[in-house]
């Protein structure tokens, strides 16, 4: 048991680059990383020891009381994050920290201690201080900072960004200065922007995702506040690496908290020294039956071709390997597990064992195999639902006057539909139309009337569209309808409904009835097309032909004209 405790303690001590410590209910150390030990030596000049009260090492009374209040909050069951300043500036150094407090629950469910995950944010505070003190040195501070610094006005338009921010997202400073906050922050309905809080003077810390120029999502932590001059300051840190470390920490925390997943600890000979209840449930073997046996013998591990060699190479290089493997229950039944293996080293870098956390994913693998057997019709339904969801998310990309989608969104969606139609041999048709004598309407009745006519036309057309049809304002009084899974005849049927609706609901201005008509071009995709702009060119030619043939005409490319 003493050896097992040594291994569990090593799980915390071996976290290179992470500051973490654990206390019992009497504030005594139960575990800490070497990085925490170094920090305590730096700011307090003390050598900490396991079993000693952490409060005894904090020399300043106000810091000691502050730490005790936070520990008591966590011991009461509260999980929270605090930004705090600690240290003895007279003897050593005073620094800022972001402390994340996690209550530790015992087997009976009661809080038995607290674990604190610590990040040094001194440089972030220094950045804020420098910005307050000197605008003259502002650019130097900005571009020397390792984190991204973004400055925007209260409408969200970016005014400036430092080099780190540009490198993080792949844009130049000039490109970002043309964008708005909403252009770079990935929408998340579960995480509101909190802009109202910031404008009221509240400093916020949120974890979001930002768009990279190449389309990737970058996970970030954003410290945001409003400056004295009214500008918005956001300090953005790429937390992709931290996310990976937090996942690793969660695995280690599972071991110490006796989670339901299988936790297996082995010695240098890969013989089992610890086998938790989760392992008993997963494999069917009791702990006393497996202690001292080789782990692969008891688990019946089966690697895919080349997988074992790859795992060995990664373990030698990185000390960590994760992957999906097939193992065996005591009954002989095959089970799929997701294995996470971490090699353990002592303080001198000597290998002393390994910890494996295995998650049963048999049901998931069976579900995946079932999904592979589903028919193409199910995939089509999923794609349709996904497109509907994407269209809902992009609803903001509309023309502000008419409510139709704008030109940019039309080209984005056309590219997607064009590729899908080529891949699955589905029909795709474009309808482009403009309003006959629209310039005359503007000149005669004014632009406000012209705007109302545009809104009227869009309302009539939308009333006749399917949910999958997309109406976009192409420019001026020109509009385009994207009809997925539709041919020319479908388009003609739609236009007949639109024409009847225009006749049934005439437009009047100053007592005069205006008979609104449209000229229409129709073009469908054919197998020889390789790019979507070829289809756009054809429908544009079709509209041009319809207009040349007189008003109130429909021209179907390549050569059929119909008079309404």
């Amino acid at each position: 048991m003493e050896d097992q405790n040594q291994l569990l303690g090593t799980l915390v001590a071996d976290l290179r680059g992470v500051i973490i410590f654990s206390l019992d209910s009497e504030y005594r150390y139960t575990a800490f990383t070497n990085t925490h030990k170094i920090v305590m030596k730096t700011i307090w000049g003390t050598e900490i020891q396991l079993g000693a009260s952490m409060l005894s090492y904090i020399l300043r009374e106000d810091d000691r009381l502050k730490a005790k209040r936070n520990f008591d909050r966590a011991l009461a069951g509260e999980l929270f994050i605090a930004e705090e300043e600690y240290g003895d500036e007279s003897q050593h150094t005073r620094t800022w920290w972001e402390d994340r407090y996690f209550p530790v629950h015992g087997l009976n469910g009661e809080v038995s201690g607290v674990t604190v995950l610590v990040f040094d944010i001194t440089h972030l505070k220094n950045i804020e201080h420098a910005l307050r003190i000197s605008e003259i040195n502002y650019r130097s501070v900005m571009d020397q900072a390792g984190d991204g610094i973004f400055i925007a006005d209260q409408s969200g338009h970016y005014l400036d960004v430092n080099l780190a921010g540009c490198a993080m997202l792949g844009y130049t400073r000039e490109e970002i200065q043309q964008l708005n906050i909403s252009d770079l922050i990935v929408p998340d309905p579960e995480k509101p922007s909190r802009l109202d809080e910031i404008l009221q003077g509240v400093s916020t810390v949120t974890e979001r995702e930002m768009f990279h120029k190449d389309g990737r999502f970058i996970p970030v932590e954003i410290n945001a506040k409003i400056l004295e001059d009214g500008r918005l300051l956001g300090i953005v840190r790429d937390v992709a690496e931290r996310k990976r470390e937090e996942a690793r920490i969660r695995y280690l925390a599972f071991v110490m908290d006796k989670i339901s997943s299988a936790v297996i600890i082995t010695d240098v000979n890969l013989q089992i020294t610890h086998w938790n209840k989760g392992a008993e449930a997963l494999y069917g073997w009791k702990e006393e039956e497996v202690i001292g046996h080789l782990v692969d013998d008891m688990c019946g591990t089966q690697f895919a071709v080349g997988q074992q060699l790859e795992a060995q190479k990664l373990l030698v290089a990185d000390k960590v390997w994760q992957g999906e493997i097939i193992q065996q229950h005591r009954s002989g039944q095959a089970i799929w597990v997701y294995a996470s293996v971490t090699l353990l080293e002592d303080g001198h870098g000597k290998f002393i064992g390994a910890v494996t956390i295995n998650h049963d994913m048999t049901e998931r693998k069976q579900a995946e195999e079932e999904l592979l057997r589903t028919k193409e019709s199910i995939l089509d339904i999923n794609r349709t639902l996904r497109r509907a969801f994407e269209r809902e998310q992009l609803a903001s990309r509309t023309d502000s006057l008419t409510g139709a989608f704008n030109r940019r969104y039309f080209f984005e969606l056309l590219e997607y539909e064009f590729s899908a139609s080529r891949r699955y041999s589905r029909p795709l048709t474009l309808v482009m139309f403009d309003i006959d004598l629209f310039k005359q309407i503007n000149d005669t009745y004014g632009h406000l009337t012209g705007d109302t006519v545009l809104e009227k036309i869009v309302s009539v057309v939308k009333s006749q569209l399917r949910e999958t049809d997309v109406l976009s304002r192409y420019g001026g009084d020109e509009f385009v309808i994207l009809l997925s899974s539709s041919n020319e005849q479908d388009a003609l049927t739609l236009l007949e409904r639109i024409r009847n609706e225009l006749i049934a609901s005439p437009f009047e201005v100053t007592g005069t009835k205006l008979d609104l008509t449209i000229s229409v071009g129709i073009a469908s995709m054919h197998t020889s097309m390789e790019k979507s702009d070829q289809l756009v060119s054809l429908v544009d030619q079709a509209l041009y032909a319809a207009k040349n043939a007189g008003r109130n005409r429909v021209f179907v490319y390549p050569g059929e004209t119909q008079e309404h």
Side-chain angles (χ1 to χ4, degrees):
M1 183 61 68
E2 182 176 350
D3 292 337
Q4 294 179 23
N5 289 336
Q6 177 189 4
L7 290 172
L8 290 174
T10 306
L11 295 178
V12 173
D14 189 50
L15 292 175
R16 295 183 297 274
V18 176
I19 303 173
I20 184 171
F21 63 91
S22 295
L23 308 177
D24 63 15
S25 59
E26 299 297 323
Y27 319 114
R28 294 173 301 206
Y29 280 113
T30 58
F32 50 79
T33 59
N34 287 331
T35 49
H36 175 66
K37 183 176 182 179
I38 293 170
V39 166
M40 292 296 287
K41 176 69 174 179
T42 301
I43 67 175
W44 297 116
T46 58
E47 294 285 349
I48 61 175
Q49 300 291 332
L50 290 175
S53 170
M54 181 180 179
L55 296 179
S56 66
Y57 294 118
I58 301 177
L59 304 182
R60 280 177 56 136
E61 182 178 359
D62 57 340
D63 283 354
R64 185 164 55 252
L65 292 174
K66 176 172 56 182
K68 184 178 183 302
R69 284 195 300 270
N70 289 335
F71 296 151
D72 289 342
R73 287 175 63 187
L75 290 171
E78 183 178 356
L79 189 153
F80 62 97
I81 299 174
E83 291 186 2
E84 302 164 316
E85 187 179 23
Y86 286 100
D88 184 1
E89 66 268 44
S90 64
Q91 296 288 332
H92 303 283
T93 183
R94 191 157 179 83
T95 51
W96 278 90
W97 307 92
E98 180 188 288
D99 298 334
R100 301 189 175 197
Y101 293 83
F102 301 89
V104 175
H105 297 268
L107 295 177
N108 58 4
E110 296 181 351
V111 177
S112 60
V114 57
T115 294
V116 184
L117 183 63
V118 182
F119 300 95
D120 187 350
I121 61 171
T122 303
H123 69 292
L124 296 180
K125 294 297 182 179
N126 288 340
I127 289 172
E128 293 178 7
H129 181 67
L131 288 173
R132 286 194 300 267
I133 293 176
S134 176
E135 280 292 328
I136 298 175
N137 295 325
Y138 147 86
R139 174 55 60 196
S140 176
V141 172
M142 287 269 289
D143 288 342
Q144 289 181 22
D147 292 324
I149 301 177
F150 295 76
I151 296 178
D153 60 25
Q154 294 192 13
S155 69
H157 181 79
Y158 286 115
L159 303 175
D160 203 358
V161 61
N162 70 341
L163 295 178
C166 294
M168 185 186 304
L169 302 182
Y171 289 92
T172 65
R173 178 177 288 117
E174 291 73 19
E175 289 173 333
I176 290 180
Q177 287 173 333
Q178 301 302 314
L179 301 177
N180 194 280
I181 291 176
S182 60
D183 296 324
L184 293 182
I185 301 294
V186 177
D188 188 342
E190 296 183 0
K191 295 181 180 179
S193 68
R194 302 181 67 182
L195 181 59
D196 291 340
E197 295 180 52
I198 297 170
L199 292 175
Q200 293 173 8
V202 178
S203 296
T204 64
V205 180
T206 56
E207 290 191 357
R208 299 293 299 268
E209 290 181 320
M210 297 186 73
F211 290 109
H212 191 277
K213 188 177 181 179
D214 63 12
R216 291 182 291 121
F217 291 178
I218 307 296
V220 296
E221 180 183 85
I222 304 175
N223 289 264
K225 64 181 295 185
I226 188 169
L227 300 176
E228 293 180 359
D229 61 4
R231 294 177 300 166
L232 306 181
L233 168 67
I235 300 177
V236 180
R237 175 180 293 177
D238 185 338
V239 296
E241 183 64 29
R242 194 181 81 191
K243 289 291 186 182
R244 288 189 285 269
E245 283 297 327
E246 288 177 350
R248 183 167 176 245
I249 292 170
R250 284 195 295 270
Y251 280 129
L252 301 178
F254 290 161
V255 175
M256 293 180 284
D257 290 342
K258 297 282 188 177
I259 63 165
S260 59
S261 297
V263 180
I264 306 167
I265 298 179
T266 56
D267 60 17
V268 294
N269 298 315
L270 300 183
Q271 293 177 323
I272 299 170
T273 62
H274 180 80
W275 181 272
N276 77 335
K277 295 296 182 183
E280 292 182 354
L282 181 60
Y283 298 102
W285 298 97
K286 295 294 184 181
E287 183 176 23
E288 58 269 20
E289 295 177 299
V290 300
I291 296 298
H293 290 275
L294 292 174
V295 63
D296 284 341
D297 289 344
M298 303 312 300
C299 298
T301 304
Q302 301 175 35
F303 290 96
V305 177
Q307 186 182 28
Q308 186 172 18
L309 180 60
E310 178 187 2
Q312 291 171 346
K313 290 180 179 178
L314 288 173
L315 284 170
V316 170
D318 302 331
K319 315 303 182 196
V320 175
W321 177 79
Q322 296 176 346
E324 297 176 1
I325 54 177
I326 298 177
Q327 294 187 322
Q328 197 172 60
H329 188 269
R330 182 175 189 167
S331 65
Q333 178 183 358
I335 52 177
W336 276 94
V337 301
Y338 185 83
S340 177
V341 182
T342 301
L343 298 187
L344 303 177
E345 297 177 344
D346 62 16
H348 304 289
K350 180 183 177 181
F351 170 60
I352 60 172
V355 58
T356 301
I357 302 176
N358 289 344
H359 303 278
D360 186 358
M361 54 181 297
T362 304
E363 291 186 1
R364 198 191 85 186
K365 295 298 289 189
Q366 291 172 345
E368 289 176 354
E369 292 172 358
E370 181 66 24
L371 286 174
L372 292 176
R373 293 190 291 267
T374 57
K375 296 180 181 180
E376 179 66 25
S377 60
I378 300 299
L379 293 176
D380 286 338
I381 292 174
N382 289 337
R383 283 190 290 269
T384 300
L385 290 174
R386 185 171 64 250
R387 287 198 301 272
F389 175 78
E390 290 171 350
R391 290 168 185 161
E392 181 180 352
Q393 293 299 307
L394 296 174
S396 61
R397 299 181 180 177
T398 56
D399 174 57
S400 60
L401 172 64
T402 64
F405 288 111
N406 58 29
R407 181 188 180 104
R408 183 182 70 176
Y409 179 70
F410 163 71
F411 280 109
E412 290 176 358
L413 187 59
L414 174 62
E415 197 65 34
Y416 175 87
E417 293 290 351
F418 186 87
S419 299
S421 295
R422 290 194 67 198
R423 185 179 301 114
Y424 302 109
S425 300
R426 298 190 309 219
L428 176 65
T429 298
L430 292 184
V431 175
M432 185 175 287
F433 67 88
D434 69 2
I435 304 169
D436 295 325
L437 302 177
F438 182 73
K439 184 178 184 304
Q440 182 177 326
I441 293 173
N442 268 339
D443 292 343
T444 303
Y445 302 102
H447 288 284
L448 289 179
T449 299
D451 289 347
T452 306
V453 168
L454 291 174
E455 294 171 345
K456 168 73 174 181
I457 291 292
V458 168
S459 176
V460 169
V461 173
K462 278 187 173 180
S463 70
Q464 303 303 314
L465 297 181
R466 304 170 301 177
E467 286 187 1
T468 55
D469 300 336
V470 177
L471 171 66
S472 301
R473 186 177 182 184
Y474 196 71
D477 65 322
E478 286 189 359
F479 294 84
V480 61
I481 306 173
L482 191 154
L483 302 175
S484 60
S485 302
S486 301
N487 54 30
E488 294 95 337
Q489 187 57 50
D490 296 327
L492 289 171
T493 301
L494 169 64
L495 287 168
E496 183 62 22
R497 295 200 306 268
I498 293 173
R499 172 182 174 273
N500 291 336
E501 184 63 22
L502 285 173
I503 294 173
S505 54
F507 183 78
E508 291 188 5
V509 55
T510 63
T512 302
K513 177 181 176 183
L514 298 181
D515 294 322
L516 299 178
T517 61
I518 56 176
S519 296
V520 185
I522 300 174
S524 293
M525 191 184 81
H526 51 78
T527 55
S528 64
M529 291 182 180
E530 294 182 355
K531 295 183 178 180
S532 59
D533 55 8
Q534 293 176 278
L535 181 58
V536 174
S537 177
L538 294 185
V539 76
D540 188 64
Q541 294 177 39
L543 174 59
Y544 184 81
K547 293 166 69 174
N548 281 348
R551 291 182 287 108
N552 199 19
R553 297 287 195 278
V554 176
F555 187 87
V556 181
Y557 193 91
E560 181 179 353
T561 304
Q562 299 186 13
E563 180 178 353
H564 283 186

